Amino acid sequence: MTRSDSSLKPLFGWAAGLAALILLPFVINTYIILLTTEVMIMGIFALSFNLLFGYTGLLSFGHAAFFGMGGYVTAYLLSHACPSLTLAFLTGVAGASLTAIVVGYLSVKLDEIYFAILTLGFGMMFFSLAHQWRSVTGGSDGLTGLVVPRLGWGAFSVDISSPWHYYYLVVAAFLLTVWILRRITQSNFGLILVSIRENKERAAFTGINIRAYRLASFSIAGFFAGVAGGLFAVFDRMASPSMLHWTTSAQPVLMTVLGGAHTFFGPVVGSILFFFIEHIITKFTDIWMIYLGAILIPLVIFFPEGVLGTLLGLKKRKHG
Amino acid sequence: MAPILEVKNLTKHFGKFQAVTGVSLTVEKGELTALIGPNGAGKTTFYNMLSGKFPPTSGKIFFEGRDITGAPPHKIARMGIGRSFQITNIFTSMTVMENILSALIAHHGAGTSFFAPARKNKKLLEEGSKILESLGLTPYADMPTTQLSYGDKRLVEIGIVLANSPRLVLLDEPTAGMTPEETERMIELIHHLADETDTTFFLTEHDMKVVFSVSKKIYVLHQGSLLAAGSPEEIQKNPEVRKAYLGGEIHA
Ligand SMILES: Nc1ncnc2c1ncn2[C@@H]1O[C@H](COP(=O)(O)OP(=O)(O)O)[C@@H](O)[C@H]1O
Ligand SMILES: [Mg+2]
C-alpha cells in the first residue's frame, strides 16, 4: 500500500459514513428513522462514557447522572415556556457539565472498584432526588408536556417536531461529537489520559497530575453525556427518572464492552448492536434483558476486545 | 557548591518495623553516586521517600536547597527529579515512541493541548527520536512495548525518565534481572549519560560489582541504617561493609 492510499482511506470511510447518514431517510421508514435517531443519541452517550473508561481507565457506574441532568434541565426549561430550544439545550449541557465537575472532583481520587461504587452511589442519589423532588422534577411521572420551539431565528428556523428534521439535527450533533472526541483522544491530552490508564504510577512519577487529568476527562465525559441527555429529552418529549436509573448507567457500559473499549468507534458499534439485539428479542419476549445477558456473556469471554476491536485486530494481523 | 540533594535524618516506619532509620547523605552535582546494600536494606523505601511515593516518618529532603519533604510524585518530578523503578514501570500497551511522547508532553506542560494530534507533533517527535537514538531504540519506535525484550523495556523506562530532562535521576537497581550483556550495556549507558549530560545520577544496587566501576561515591545501607560512605576504594576496604556482605561478594 502506498502512502497516499493509506492517508486517503480513512477520509473515504468518513465520506461514506456521512453519505449514508444523510441518505438514509430516503430509503427507510419513519420507524427506522426514530430508531436510528435513538441509536445515535445513545452512541453519543456511550462515546462520552468511553472517554472515561476506554481512554482514562475509569469505570463509572453513574454516568446516567449527567445524561439525566442534561435531560431534566432541558425538559424543565421547555416545559416552562423557554422560547429557545438552543438556550434550553445549552443550559442542560451546562448543568450536566457542572454536575460532572462536582461529582468528578469528589470521585477521581479513588480507583477501580471504589471509583465504580462511588459513582454508582452518586447516580442513585440523583435518581432519588428526581423521584422525591416532585415540585421541580415531577416525581415518578417525570417532566412532560414539553413545548419544542422552532430551531433557529425567524426565516432561518426549522420545525424539528418532524422525525426527519430531528434526525438531521441529531446527525449533526453526532458527527460533531465524534469529530471533537476523536480529536481529543488523539491529542496530547488524550495521550496523557491513555498513559494514566496504562500505568498511573509511572504517569505520576513522570510529572503528570493524575487527579487533574482525570477530572478534566470526567468533566468532558459529563458534558457529552449532557448533550445526549438533552437530545434524548427533546426526542422523547419528556424527562423521566428512568433516565437517571442505574440501568441507564449500565447501558453505555454494555454498549462499550459489546463494541470494544479500545477502539474509538467501539461504543457506536456497541450501541447499534444493543438496539438491534433489543429489537429482535423484544419481538419474541418481554424479558429481553435475560437474553441480552445470554448473548453478552459469551461475547465478553470470546471477544474481550469487543466486536469492533476483535474485527480490527483480525484485519491488522492479516495485513501486518 | 551546594549539593544537589541533601537528606537529613530520614526515617520510615511501617507500623513497628523501621525500614529506614535516620539516614543522612548528600549527592553532589555531577557526581555519580550509588546507594548499595543487600536486599531488604531499605534502598527502595529510601527512593520512595525521595520521589514522593510516601512521606517520611521523620527527616528532611532538600533538592537544590529546596525542602521537598512530603511533596507528591508529580510535583517532585516537575521540579526536576526523575526516577526508574526496580520492577520495570512503563506504559505497557503503548508504542515505544508514545511512551516517550507522554513524558515529553508532561515535561513541556503541553497536556492541555486538546486538539492537535500528539503523534504528529514534529517538535515532540524530533525530541523523542533523539532520545530513542541515544538508547539504541530507534528501530522499535512504533512497536508496542509488549514486544520488546526485557532489557529494552528497561531502556524505555530510562527514556521516559530522560524525556523529563531531570537534573537528578534516581535509578532503582537499573540492572535488576538483566543478563550479563544487558547489564554491561546499561552500565555503559549510565556512564555515558553521566559524562555527556548535566544530569546527576544516583543509583541503587544490591550487587556491589556493578557500581564500583562507575560510581564516584558510594553509600552503604544495612538494615535501614547507613553503614559506610566513601569512594569505591574506601568502601572495598571497609571491614564493616565486608562483614555485612558476608565477605563473599566483594572481589571487584
Ligand atoms: N510498603 C511497605 N510496607 C511494609 N513494609 C515494607 C514496605 N515497603 C518495604 N517494606 C519493608 O522494608 C524493608 C526494606 O525494603 P526495601 O526498601 O524494598 O529494600 P531494598 O530495596 O533495599 O531491597 C523490607 O523488609 C520490606 O519488607
Ligand atoms: Mg529495592
Side-chain angles (χ1 to χ4, degrees), chain A residues 186-204:
Chain A
Q186 292 182 335
S187 70
N188 287 355
F189 174 76
L191 189 59
I192 297 290
L193 293 188
V194 172
S195 39
I196 292 172
R197 175 196 83 197
E198 282 301 305
N199 187 339
K200 68 175 197 297
E201 182 177 59
R202 184 65 264 178

Side-chain angles (χ1 to χ4, degrees), chain B residues 1-251:
Chain B
M1 201 169 37
I4 190 163
L5 180 73
E6 186 169 14
V7 178
K8 289 183 177 163
N9 246 318
L10 213 57
T11 298
K12 184 72 192 180
H13 296 182
F14 293 114
K16 281 194 181 139
F17 178 70
Q18 298 203 1
V20 174
T21 314
V23 172
S24 300
L25 57 75
T26 56
V27 175
E28 300 297 332
K29 192 167 172 8
E31 195 169 82
L32 205 156
T33 306
L35 178 68
I36 63 172
N39 278 323
K43 304 179 296 294
T44 298
T45 305
F46 188 71
Y47 270 22
N48 284 343
M49 291 187 277
L50 296 186
S51 59
K53 181 158 180 174
F54 41 64
T57 307
S58 63
K60 289 272 174 218
I61 305 160
F62 297 92
F63 173 60
E64 295 176 338
R66 259 164 101 188
D67 185 353
I68 60 162
T69 321
H74 71 270
K75 287 215 173 121
I76 290 181
R78 296 302 305 259
M79 283 177 205
I81 302 181
R83 79 165 283 186
S84 72
F85 291 79
Q86 187 170 349
I87 297 165
T88 315
N89 216 345
I90 55 180
F91 304 118
T92 318
S93 75
M94 291 159 55
T95 68
V96 172
M97 181 57 100
E98 284 169 350
N99 268 264
I100 308 298
L101 282 181
S102 292
L104 285 171
I105 291 167
H107 175 61
H108 292 297
T112 46
S113 165
F114 288 87
F115 248 58
R119 294 163 190 82
K120 288 182 187 156
N121 187 319
K122 279 220 178 72
K123 189 175 148 280
L124 292 184
L125 285 174
E126 229 163 73
E127 266 184 76
S129 303
K130 271 190 202 140
I131 291 169
L132 293 186
E133 205 182 310
S134 73
L135 298 171
L137 291 174
T138 308
Y140 312 120
D142 295 321
M143 215 180 249
T145 64
T146 43
Q147 292 175 16
L148 296 182
S149 71
Y150 176 77
D152 285 337
K153 281 183 194 162
R154 289 196 74 87
L155 286 178
V156 171
E157 184 163 5
I158 304 282
I160 293 173
V161 173
L162 293 178
N164 276 339
S165 305
R167 296 187 293 288
L168 175 65
V169 170
L170 312 172
L171 301 175
D172 195 0
E173 303 208 19
T175 66
M178 286 187 159
T179 63
E181 298 80 55
E182 287 172 334
T183 301
E184 200 167 304
R185 188 169 151 216
M186 181 61 93
I187 291 297
E188 224 166 78
L189 175 74
I190 295 170
H191 206 147
H192 175 79
L193 290 169
D195 278 352
E196 300 290 309
T197 65
D198 293 338
T199 314
T200 306
F201 286 84
F202 184 21
L203 54 100
T204 73
E205 260 302 333
H206 71 272
D207 182 351
M208 304 178 106
K209 278 174 276 180
V210 170
V211 291
F212 279 140
S213 57
V214 287
S215 318
K216 299 264 171 12
K217 177 147 196 193
I218 296 178
Y219 290 98
V220 185
L221 199 62
H222 185 59
Q223 295 180 355
S225 304
L226 220 48
L227 188 69
S231 67
E233 296 74 36
E234 288 166 340
I235 295 299
Q236 247 166 307
K237 284 184 204 138
N238 189 310
E240 289 208 54
V241 177
R242 285 174 169 266
K243 218 163 74 192
Y245 271 85
L246 297 167
E249 287 191 39
I250 314 180
H251 305 292

Side-chain angles (χ1 to χ4, degrees), chain A residues 21 40 44 166-178 231:
Chain A
L21 283 174
M40 281 189 289
I44 294 174
Y166 198 59
Y167 170 85
Y168 282 115
L169 180 67
V170 172
V171 165
F174 177 72
L175 291 175
L176 206 59
T177 302
V178 163
L231 290 172

Side-chain angles (χ1 to χ4, degrees), chain A residues 44-45 47-49 51-52 56 63 66 93 96-98 100-101 104 177 180-182 184-185 187 189-190 193 212-227, chain B residues 111-112 114-115:
Chain A
I44 294 174
F45 187 31
L47 280 170
S48 78
F49 165 81
L51 182 70
L52 262 186
T56 320
H63 208 44
F66 319 114
V93 173
S97 310
L98 285 176
I101 290 170
T177 302
I180 294 173
L181 283 177
R182 180 111 179 122
I184 289 178
T185 54
S187 70
F189 174 76
L193 293 188
Y213 277 93
R214 280 180 168 178
L215 178 56
S217 171
F218 198 94
S219 309
I220 296 169
F223 174 95
F224 283 103
V227 168
Chain B
T112 46
F114 288 87
F115 248 58

